[in-house]
């Protein structure tokens, strides 16, 4: 268990901010569960070293935008620790294709051409799944292992900042709306970009231009989508 646990590390800048208000005990339940599952030879996505990749690429003080996903891709090899993202050598998933379609329709151009969203993360976009892990081939299998408490604490920390933009797509993401300070941040809601729901309000939402307009109005560098 210890060997797996040593590979799962929240970046130091997030730990320092977190410890100002909490004791990190919220991570004990999900991480203990994951370690036990690895001992049973269960296949978990993403890999241990990528569980906190969203935080690794997007430092607390650099965060400008938060995009919520649900849980990681459950197909083997796809999940890389960033919501909606996959590694460069994989085909672009359907939901991300729809996100890209909306970016192009909204902004007129699309700078990302692969399935990797590292470029967004490095600009200050926290690509945060509300559940950070999943058992391979079992979607939603880790929704109840304790990640929710940690995510609520992350939202608490983000509320300490000003003028963030939160993208809440679909009912799962929108359940966090009540924890976000709407007076200090811009909250954008729409249907999920999944092929099952994208035509119910995701397409045409204009979130990417609205985000950049808000950032610009507050003197914050816009995102190159």
């Amino acid at each position: 268990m210890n060997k797996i646990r040593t590979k799962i590390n929240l970046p130091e800048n997030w730990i320092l901010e977190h410890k100002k208000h909490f004791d990190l005990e919220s991570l004990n339940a999900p991480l203990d569960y994951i370690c036990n599952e690895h001992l049973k030879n269960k296949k978990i996505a993403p890999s241990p070293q990528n569980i906190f990749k969203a935080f690794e690429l997007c430092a607390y003080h650099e965060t400008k935008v938060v995009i919520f996903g649900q849980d990681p891709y459950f197909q083997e090899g796809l999940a890389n620790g960033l919501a909606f993202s996959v590694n460069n050598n994989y085909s672009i998933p359907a939901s991300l294709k729809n996100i890209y379609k909306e970016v192009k329709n909204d902004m007129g151009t699309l700078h990302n051409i692969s399935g990797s969203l590292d470029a967004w993360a490095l600009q200050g976009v926290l690509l945060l799944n509300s559940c950070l892990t999943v058992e391979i081939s079992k979607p939603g299998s880790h929704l109840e292992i304790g990640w929710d408490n940690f995510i609520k604490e992350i939202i608490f920390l983000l509320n300490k900042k000003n003028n963030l933009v939160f993208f809440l797509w679909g009912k799962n993401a929108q359940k966090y709306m009540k924890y976000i300070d709407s007076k200090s941040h811009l909250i954008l809601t729409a249907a999920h970009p999944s092929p099952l729901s994208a035509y119910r309000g995701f397409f045409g939402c204009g979130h990417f231009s609205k985000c950049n307009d808000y950032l610009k109005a507050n003197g914050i560098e816009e995102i190159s989508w």
Side-chain angles (χ1 to χ4, degrees):
M1 183 184 293
N2 289 336
K3 186 177 180 181
I4 295 295
R5 183 66 181 85
T6 58
K7 295 180 180 180
I8 308 174
N9 296 299
L10 187 67
E12 187 67 21
N13 68 91
W14 283 94
I15 289 176
L16 290 174
E17 200 62 37
H18 198 277
K19 284 188 172 180
K20 292 178 183 178
H21 308 280
F22 305 104
D23 54 14
L24 286 175
E25 285 191 7
S26 61
L27 286 176
N28 290 340
L31 295 186
D32 286 349
Y33 182 91
I34 291 163
C35 289
N36 284 322
E37 292 294 276
H38 275 284
L39 287 176
K40 299 173 186 175
N41 295 316
K42 297 284 185 69
K43 292 183 177 181
I44 308 298
S47 60
Q49 58 267 33
N50 283 334
I51 288 175
F52 293 120
K53 186 179 178 182
F55 301 93
E56 178 185 328
L57 296 185
C58 184
Y60 175 77
H61 293 290
E62 300 297 324
T63 301
K64 299 185 282 189
V65 179
V66 183
I67 298 180
F68 265 102
Q70 184 167 323
D71 55 349
Y73 295 118
F74 60 87
Q75 299 90 340
E76 190 163 5
L78 282 190
N80 66 3
L82 303 179
F84 297 107
S85 176
V86 294
N87 291 326
N88 282 322
N89 53 328
Y90 287 94
S91 298
I92 300 176
S95 290
L96 184 54
K97 284 182 180 179
N98 286 339
I99 291 171
Y100 282 172
K101 183 177 180 179
E102 176 60 21
V103 171
K104 192 169 184 179
N105 289 339
D106 184 21
M107 303 295 295
T109 57
L110 173 66
H111 298 285
N112 245 35
I113 58 173
S114 78
S116 170
L117 296 178
D118 285 18
W120 289 7
L122 292 169
Q123 293 179 74
V125 181
L126 183 64
L127 293 149
L128 184 61
N129 280 315
S130 56
C131 176
L132 301 187
T133 54
V134 67
E135 184 177 345
I136 295 296
S137 300
K138 295 184 178 180
S141 52
H142 286 188
L143 291 176
E144 304 296 332
I145 70 170
W147 283 120
D148 193 55
N149 292 326
F150 173 69
I151 297 301
K152 288 176 184 176
E153 291 177 358
I154 292 299
I155 294 173
F156 178 92
L157 300 182
L158 293 170
N159 274 331
K160 297 296 179 183
K161 297 167 67 71
N162 289 309
N163 304 319
L164 296 182
V165 183
F166 288 83
F167 290 30
L168 305 181
W169 297 330
K171 292 180 180 178
N172 184 76
Q174 288 162 18
K175 71 182 182 182
Y176 291 106
M177 192 186 313
K178 62 185 177 183
Y179 302 109
I180 301 169
D181 182 359
S182 60
K183 295 180 180 178
S184 299
H185 310 293
L186 176 64
I187 303 173
L188 300 172
T189 63
H192 193 276
S194 160
L196 297 175
S197 55
Y199 287 94
R200 299 175 190 165
F202 177 75
F203 289 136
C205 67
H207 282 183
F208 302 95
S209 59
K210 289 175 182 176
C211 170
N212 278 0
D213 288 346
Y214 179 82
L215 294 176
K216 185 177 181 179
N218 286 283
I220 302 168
E221 186 176 357
E222 299 159 72
I223 304 298
S224 177
W225 299 107

